[in-house]
Amino acid sequence: MCETKSFLPMMLAIGCCLFLSLSPGCGGDEGEGEAPGISNLFFGPASAFVFPRGGELGVTVSMDYVDPDGDIAFVRMSFRFCGAGEVQHEDIAPGGITGNQAGAIWISARVPTDCRPGT
């Protein structure tokens, strides 16, 4: 096994930035309302062992949000495995966010660790 400190940050950097795209649901005309805000972003672990012949790692992401309109419908997670290839998207609708103006979102996912060391 090889360890790389850049594996997860590079794999998740785009994902975590775009992950924060709290998406408003339907209702009202487009362009109306206020954008949601986030704070206290956490994702971990920050580094991982990579193993070219398979394996997975659990990743946890959490954040607090404020949405004056209370119209958040889902969180979009975007990622590129091993920092290469096409960006993939997954929409996640954590329970309890729709209709709320503030709260916390906790999501955990499994990511592959079969990248080249140094990727």
Side-chain angles (χ1 to χ4, degrees), residues 10 23 54 59 70 96 113:
M10 285 177 36
S23 301
V59 175
T113 58

Side-chain angles (χ1 to χ4, degrees), residues 5-92:
K5 297 273 185 211
S6 61
F7 167 70
L8 280 176
M10 285 177 36
M11 186 172 96
L12 296 175
I14 290 176
C16 285
C17 290
L18 295 176
F19 185 90
L20 307 176
S21 300
L22 301 175
S23 301
C26 298
D29 296 328
E30 281 196 42
E32 291 184 14
E34 294 183 47
I38 61 159
S39 61
N40 301 323
L41 171 65
F42 168 82
F43 74 94
S47 65
F49 286 99
V50 295
F51 189 60
R53 288 178 262 171
E56 287 185 329
L57 174 72
V59 175
T60 301
V61 179
S62 66
M63 69 189 91
D64 295 330
Y65 70 92
V66 175
D67 180 34
D69 302 325
D71 62 351
I72 294 175
F74 61 87
V75 177
R76 171 164 283 172
M77 181 171 72
S78 300
F79 53 91
R80 289 187 316 159
F81 288 115
C82 300
E86 242 180 77
V87 175
Q88 299 176 32
H89 306 284
E90 184 173 343
D91 294 340
I92 302 168

